Amino acid sequence: MRPILFGLLAVLLGGLLILSRCRYRQPVEPSRAQTIAGIPVTEEFIPEGNAGRPGIKREIKWVVIHETANHSEGADAQRHSEYIQKKSVESTLSWHYTVDDHQIYHHLPDDEVGWHAGDKLTAGGGNQCGIGVEICVNDDGDYAQAVDNAAKLTAYLLDYYGLGIENIKQHHDFMEKNCPQIMRDTGGWEAFLQKVEGYRAG
């Protein structure tokens, strides 16, 4: 009897593992997610009609990685959400997600254009086809953890939209700007891509 019980237990555990991987492989729509890879997500969309939310629907081809370049203490994802809510009323500035060391804020529906890549509405460009992800660099935060959280978010988005690792872009790919600056200056870009790959395989 004992070998049969152990065999049944092994089958059950294997099935649970497969189901857990399937749940990761087929995430819920990002705008409905309350957590992504265990990270709390707050949906705080820019109001329709604001200059920063043109409401243009598009095909998603890229996940575009940025860093906020705001080292001020307290400049976390919530603070940037408050900033973009005000700034976007009259300014054509917006992005889709801000990630810090403990949370994610979602500012625009993924299928809408945001003004983050600096390339206007270039066909196939960062604004027209990219999901903009800003990583917080505030001095009182844990930058390494923020990068790790951004890698988890990026893996989630790639899986949901059926994209590959080659679809991850830097802000720099669309305009002459040294962004994401810390990653670029420290040679951290390849490590970031490896993190994303690791979370996709998980």
Side-chain angles (χ1 to χ4, degrees):
M1 278 297 287
R2 217 172 257 183
I4 294 172
L5 287 173
F6 281 128
L8 288 172
L9 184 59
V11 169
L12 179 61
L13 289 173
L16 288 173
L17 180 61
I18 290 169
L19 284 174
S20 68
R21 287 188 174 183
C22 286
R23 279 197 296 272
Y24 182 78
R25 291 291 186 183
Q26 299 173 355
V28 299
E29 183 182 351
S31 63
R32 298 180 183 275
Q34 295 180 338
T35 64
I36 289 178
I39 309 161
V41 179
T42 300
E43 180 187 291
E44 203 167 80
F45 285 166
I46 293 168
E48 294 181 14
N50 280 17
R53 185 175 175 184
I56 301 169
K57 300 290 186 178
R58 60 7 179 336
E59 178 186 2
I60 296 168
K61 293 183 177 180
W62 322 115
V63 178
V64 185
I65 304 301
H66 307 252
E67 289 172 352
T68 62
N70 184 352
H71 292 273
S72 302
E73 292 189 3
D76 62 2
Q78 181 179 353
R79 186 71 61 82
H80 280 87
S81 184
E82 293 167 359
Y83 168 79
I84 200 62
Q85 289 285 328
K86 295 175 182 176
K87 188 73 172 176
S88 68
V89 174
E90 296 181 353
S91 175
T92 52
L93 174 67
S94 56
W95 58 91
H96 297 83
Y97 295 90
T98 306
V99 186
D100 64 24
D101 56 9
H102 62 282
Q103 64 190 341
I104 297 168
Y105 268 73
H106 193 181
H107 313 295
L108 286 173
D110 295 353
D111 65 349
E112 290 186 19
V113 163
W115 304 118
H116 57 93
D119 62 349
K120 300 182 180 179
L121 283 178
T122 300
N127 285 340
Q128 190 180 76
C129 297
I131 296 174
V133 175
E134 288 276 0
I135 304 172
C136 292
V137 299
N138 47 306
D139 288 340
D140 60 339
D142 184 340
Y143 171 74
Q145 185 59 56
V147 169
D148 194 65
N149 290 349
K152 290 175 180 176
L153 169 61
T154 302
Y156 187 97
L157 293 171
L158 294 183
D159 282 349
Y160 187 81
Y161 293 110
L163 303 174
I165 203 76
E166 68 278 4
N167 298 99
I168 306 173
K169 299 292 185 182
Q170 301 178 21
H171 185 182
H172 178 76
D173 291 325
F174 299 102
M175 68 175 294
E176 287 298 317
K177 183 172 183 178
N178 189 20
C179 179
Q181 184 173 359
I182 296 174
M183 279 193 206
R184 288 175 53 79
D185 289 353
T186 62
W189 181 249
E190 287 302 320
F192 177 76
L193 296 181
Q194 289 171 12
K195 276 180 176 288
V196 175
E197 282 279 37
Y199 287 126
R200 296 194 77 189

